[in-house]
Amino acid sequence: MDWLPLLSTLAGAAIGIVATLIADRNRWKHEDVKEARRLRLDVYTQYTNTVKVLGETLRALAEREHPSDGERALALRQAFRDSDIAIASEQMWLIAPQPVVKASNSVFHCLRRICDGYVDGSAVSSPEDRARWEARGKAAAKMRKLMREDLGFGPLTERHTPLLNDDNS
């Protein structure tokens, strides 16, 4: 019996099976990478939204009239706790790479300083308040830049569309 045709058929089948397994493995790895990126995007979006809403809430509470300084402080601290920023921060610690975690932690501490400043009686738009908000803005811009890099997006060239003048130029 001639074994050569049988062996070549078996070798071809083995090569086909191995090639299929390698292709499946590569497809699974690609899907895992896509799912991890999707998960980070969700966590990053939740964190940045939480940061924005908490900042707006703190400012609104600081501008509002309160029966006493103690009640103002209580309202501000409660808003910080109720914002779920601690949960969003923990998700960052679990999912994000170290540079993004460090940047998000910096934003968290900026918001904490803003809250503490209002608790201590700082007025909205006072020089100290503006400095704290400016620090938060810089920290948030750095965080977003690192998030975009981690997700594989390019840098933003402009933050806002330029305003048009009266003749739309």
Side-chain angles (χ1 to χ4, degrees):
M1 177 175 197
D2 189 12
W3 291 97
L4 191 58
L6 181 60
L7 289 175
S8 63
T9 301
L10 286 172
I15 290 171
I17 290 170
V18 168
T20 301
L21 290 173
I22 290 171
D24 285 346
R25 183 173 183 268
N26 287 340
R27 188 172 36 253
W28 292 331
K29 285 173 73 175
H30 181 70
E31 287 300 316
D32 285 347
V33 168
K34 281 176 46 178
E35 181 58 30
R37 184 178 297 127
R38 228 176 280 126
L39 178 60
R40 287 193 318 277
L41 176 61
D42 289 346
V43 169
Y44 294 172
T45 301
Q46 179 185 358
Y47 192 81
T48 54
N49 286 337
T50 301
V51 163
K52 182 167 182 58
V53 169
L54 176 57
E56 291 170 355
T57 302
L58 292 175
R59 184 175 291 245
L61 284 171
E63 290 176 328
R64 187 177 302 160
E65 289 282 329
H66 296 277
S68 69
D69 289 343
E71 288 190 27
R72 178 184 190 206
L74 182 65
L76 288 161
R77 288 186 178 120
Q78 188 64 42
F80 203 93
R81 279 190 299 274
D82 290 346
S83 72
D84 290 336
I85 194 162
I87 293 169
S89 183
E90 285 300 319
Q91 289 176 330
M92 292 291 284
W93 281 87
L94 292 172
I95 298 297
Q98 192 270 340
V100 176
V101 170
K102 187 176 178 182
S104 68
N105 200 39
S106 178
V107 172
F108 177 92
H109 288 291
C110 286
L111 283 168
R112 172 54 71 191
R113 284 189 289 278
I114 289 168
C115 182
D116 291 344
Y118 291 148
V119 165
D120 292 339
S122 288
V124 173
S125 297
S126 67
E128 303 85 23
D129 184 49
R130 282 195 300 273
R132 285 190 282 268
W133 278 101
E134 185 177 326
R136 193 219 53 95
K138 287 178 182 176
K142 181 179 179 181
M143 177 187 71
R144 285 189 302 271
K145 178 183 177 283
L146 291 169
M147 287 174 172
R148 289 181 63 82
E149 288 173 3
D150 179 48
L151 294 170
F153 301 135
L156 294 174
T157 55
E158 266 186 47
R159 179 165 180 192
H160 299 289
T161 304
L163 296 175
L164 298 176
N165 61 19
D166 291 336
D167 59 349
N168 291 331
S169 58

